[in-house]
Amino acid sequence: MPRFFCPAALDTDQLIELPAGAARHVQVLRLQPGDALTLFNHGPGWVGDRPGGEFEATITRMARSGVQVQVGAHLAVERETARQVHLGLVMPANERMDWLVEKATELGATSIQPLMSERSVLRLTGERANKKVDHWQSVAIAACEQSGRNRVPRICNVMALKRWLLALDDLTELSQSSPPEALAADRRNGRSLRLVLSLRENARSMSEFLTPCENVLFLSGPEGGLSSEEEDAALAHGFVAATLGPRVLRAETAPLAALAALTLLG
């Protein structure tokens, strides 16, 4: 059954107009009045008392200007992983970031923080950065629609790695770009972790961290990895060096391998 993200509040027996993106998708699929679909409405970073899960719905009217549906029963089903993983990702070049956002969403990432480091090829600022974040948020929504997730991960504002590390515990600066629940978590209680993917000899195996834990803030570098100074800075801000093994994985492969281990095995 087709699934669509609808950011409005939803109630059983309510008649609503689908948002423009979902309406266009319904039209492309050539759905007709009487056809069934599924709606979910937990958008990126949602905080409030809106029920999770998803809603059954039926198309009642098709028109060039929009699509009307009647909301049906609420289904209290969630497909989230037990552990929240927030991914700090130094952006790869070309279109690989689109692919990374899509796959990280499918694997259950709670949020994705795009970063720029010393070795970054892709550098974004100003309006160009904002447009890219909006685009990646759309990619995440589409991945949720396809994969069955009912909670859309937040794509945070692009930041320089050094500034992000310095501001990790400053909720005033980061409240508009990063999930405060990850940043405010008390690491001393053993229920949250900060990990950085590393090739250092003393890096600990990822298998050591597959124990019950509430939140993980995971940092992955660009092509060529983080510089020694950047990795030292991450360690100074409470990150632990972690390794996926003896093989050197590509910048777009490594974070997904780690994410899969943390969400599917942890």
Side-chain angles (χ1 to χ4, degrees):
M1 184 181 300
R3 304 179 74 256
F4 300 100
F5 173 63
C6 183
L10 299 175
D11 290 304
T12 300
D13 295 329
Q14 179 184 28
L15 281 173
I16 64 168
E17 294 286 331
L18 290 183
R24 284 194 299 271
H25 196 178
V26 166
Q27 291 164 340
V28 168
L29 292 174
R30 299 184 182 277
L31 300 179
Q32 299 297 321
D35 287 344
L37 45 82
T38 299
L39 303 177
F40 62 99
N41 65 351
H42 266 239
W46 172 258
V47 177
D49 57 1
R50 181 183 295 173
E54 58 194 26
F55 289 81
E56 297 175 342
T58 304
I59 298 173
T60 57
R61 180 175 57 82
M62 296 281 295
R64 288 186 179 180
S65 59
V67 176
Q68 184 186 71
V69 302
Q70 182 168 24
V71 182
H74 174 253
L75 305 175
V77 57
E78 291 291 355
R79 302 177 184 91
E80 299 301 300
T81 58
R83 168 185 283 166
Q84 293 185 16
V85 180
H86 303 267
L87 179 61
L89 182 65
V90 179
M91 301 175 292
N94 303 320
E95 301 302 318
R96 285 178 286 178
M97 186 64 177
D98 287 22
W99 185 80
L100 266 173
V101 169
E102 179 183 77
K103 301 310 174 189
T105 299
E106 292 176 16
L107 287 169
T110 303
S111 71
I112 300 172
Q113 170 68 66
L115 297 166
M116 294 181 292
S117 71
E118 291 180 18
R119 296 171 178 165
S120 289
V121 175
L122 179 61
R123 295 186 177 276
L124 300 172
T125 58
E127 185 63 24
R128 184 166 174 244
N130 294 336
K131 288 182 178 179
K132 277 292 188 180
V133 169
D134 290 343
H135 168 69
W136 291 327
Q137 193 67 75
S138 297
V139 170
I141 288 172
C144 284
E145 292 175 338
Q146 179 274 324
S147 65
R149 288 188 68 179
N150 292 325
R151 297 177 184 268
V152 180
R154 180 188 295 175
I155 312 301
C156 304
N157 296 334
V158 177
M159 294 185 71
L161 174 60
K162 289 183 178 179
R163 178 185 166 212
W164 181 68
L165 289 173
L166 289 171
L168 266 178
D169 297 310
D170 184 352
L171 298 184
T172 300
E173 179 170 356
L174 289 182
S175 61
Q176 298 303 312
S177 62
S178 298
E181 64 272 18
L183 304 176
D186 184 358
R187 299 191 303 280
R188 292 172 298 179
N189 63 14
R191 299 182 65 189
S192 62
L193 289 170
R194 290 180 179 179
L195 304 177
V196 56
L197 196 60
S198 174
L199 294 175
R200 294 188 177 190
E201 291 185 2
N202 62 349
R204 295 165 60 183
S205 171
M206 185 65 67
S207 63
E208 295 184 32
F209 305 106
L210 304 184
T211 55
C213 176
E214 183 177 295
N215 292 323
V216 176
L217 186 58
F218 185 82
L219 172 60
S220 183
E223 297 90 339
L226 299 173
S227 69
S228 296
E229 293 76 11
E230 288 172 329
E231 195 167 326
D232 287 341
L235 299 179
H237 284 85
F239 284 80
V240 177
T243 179
L244 291 167
R247 293 183 299 279
V248 179
L249 303 182
R250 294 182 66 92
E252 66 270 27
T253 306
L256 295 180
L259 184 59
L262 290 168
T263 58
L264 303 180
L265 302 178

